[in-house]
Amino acid sequence: MPESRPSVVPRSNAARSARRVRAGWRPLLAGLVASLFLGKAIGAPAPLPWSIAFYYGDSPPLGQLARFDLAVVEPDSGFDPTAFAAMPTQWFAYVSVGEVDPSRSYYAQIPKRWLIGRNGEWHASVVDQAAPGWPAFFVAHVIDPLWKQGYRGFFLDTLDSYQLVAKTDAQRERERAGLVAVIEAIHRRYPSAKLILNRGFELLPEVHDAVFAVAFESLYQGWSEAAGRYVDVPQEDRQWLLGQADMVRQRYGLPVIAIDYCAPADTGCASRTVTRIRAQGIVPYVGDGHLQTVNPASAN
């Protein structure tokens, strides 16, 4: 099972990191150019740049995914992106950075001293991002094979898993710097690769030029793996996420994606949630708790 799930980052730590970034001029210029190009008045809501789907099951349903501009899939499913290069959909590979599941082909090659903790909820090992050699290992054993398979985009997940083991500011900074090194290593090797971060807000001051978009989970509707049920997101958490979304767009001019969760049979929940996310100027996707089905609501 992919390691994707709601964040473990304490709100206060992430907020402190976000405050360190510098305001930029690029989003203002980009918004002005877009408004003039589209012939719309400045200040009008900008259209969303594209649609995106997340599907982590086997045998990706091509007919359903073809309705989306971008699709993130589980590469271990055996999917071959080159066989469907003629489709308008751009294929992104799901990649876990902060954790590794024992089922991954490269797991046995990771030095055991690099595995510094466990995420018991998802049965995965937390990787020391500051370990010497980890960025090079990650590119060689994870990204290189996927690039050879034909993937040109990567969804980088579990960027906050170090928070499970790092308990001091010094430890957190060490792990954060390690994550920056991993992303920079990917960008150096494949400068044209499109990288979507799942959270990683505190990494943006250093890596925003290498990033295609930033995603987060559970803006309105979430999934609790521990409880095995869908949950409403508390208002406090939602406001914090919206603040991060504003920071990402205003300071770095990057698109923002919200991945929310509704039961597949609850079409009303999906429709309402997509509408609410779009109203915030955020690219929506609403899926089931393990992203094993494709919900068409986000493609409309």
Side-chain angles (χ1 to χ4, degrees):
M1 182 191 309
E3 298 87 349
S4 175
R5 73 272 181 226
S7 172
V8 297
V9 175
R11 299 294 189 257
S12 57
N13 292 333
R16 284 199 300 270
S17 298
R19 283 197 293 267
R20 294 181 300 188
V21 298
R22 300 185 301 272
W25 54 267
R26 186 175 64 176
L28 178 60
L29 179 59
L32 175 60
V33 172
S35 297
L36 294 174
F37 180 78
L38 293 169
K40 295 183 178 181
I42 296 174
L48 297 180
W50 26 254
S51 61
I52 189 169
F54 293 78
Y55 179 80
Y56 295 166
D58 295 330
S59 303
L62 298 177
Q64 298 176 56
L65 293 174
R67 300 179 60 182
F68 295 84
D69 299 309
L70 316 177
V72 179
V73 298
E74 167 52 63
D76 282 357
S77 67
F79 178 73
D80 179 6
T82 63
F84 306 99
M87 290 179 59
T89 304
Q90 297 181 49
W91 306 106
F92 283 65
Y94 170 91
V95 175
S96 177
V97 182
E99 298 177 8
V100 59
D101 189 278
S103 65
R104 299 294 181 184
S105 60
Y106 54 90
Y107 178 83
Q109 298 171 278
I110 299 176
K112 294 299 180 284
R113 64 182 180 278
W114 292 3
L115 305 179
I116 57 174
R118 289 281 297 171
N119 184 335
E121 188 171 322
W122 290 89
H123 311 292
S125 297
V126 177
V127 181
D128 182 2
Q129 299 300 303
W134 171 242
F137 179 98
F138 190 81
V139 171
H141 292 268
V142 181
I143 301 299
D144 280 354
L146 295 174
W147 188 270
K148 291 175 182 176
Q149 290 177 36
Y151 289 101
R152 296 297 180 263
F154 304 94
F155 178 71
L156 305 183
D157 195 23
T158 63
L159 296 177
D160 53 5
S161 293
Y162 70 89
Q163 298 281 359
L164 292 169
V165 294
K167 303 304 181 184
T168 68
D169 287 343
Q171 290 171 335
R172 283 187 284 270
E173 176 54 29
R174 180 174 174 270
E175 296 297 314
R176 191 198 68 83
L179 283 166
V180 168
V182 170
I183 294 170
E184 290 177 339
I186 298 171
H187 185 61
R188 281 195 303 271
R189 179 81 166 182
Y190 300 108
S192 64
K194 294 180 178 179
L195 306 181
I196 300 177
L197 308 188
N198 191 5
R199 295 193 178 228
F201 305 119
E202 70 276 19
L203 312 177
L204 290 174
E206 289 92 340
V207 304
H208 60 91
D209 284 338
V211 174
F212 174 71
V214 177
F216 54 75
E217 299 171 72
S218 307
L219 182 60
Y220 292 98
Q221 300 295 135
W223 165 258
S224 170
E225 181 68 11
R229 62 184 178 86
Y230 297 92
V231 296
D232 294 330
V233 176
Q235 176 69 17
E236 180 182 0
D237 290 359
R238 178 162 47 256
Q239 289 305 123
W240 185 85
L241 285 171
L242 290 173
Q244 298 304 300
D246 286 343
M247 178 271 293
V248 171
R249 291 179 296 190
Q250 294 174 11
R251 297 183 180 179
Y252 303 115
L254 295 171
V256 178
I257 304 161
I259 309 164
D260 273 31
Y261 300 95
C262 292
D266 194 345
T267 57
C269 173
S271 178
R272 289 191 303 273
T273 304
V274 165
T275 298
R276 296 176 78 183
I277 294 172
R278 282 196 177 124
Q280 298 289 350
I282 296 172
V283 178
Y285 184 71
V286 176
D288 65 89
H290 292 100
L291 299 173
Q292 301 289 304
T293 58
V294 176
N295 193 318
S298 307
N300 297 332

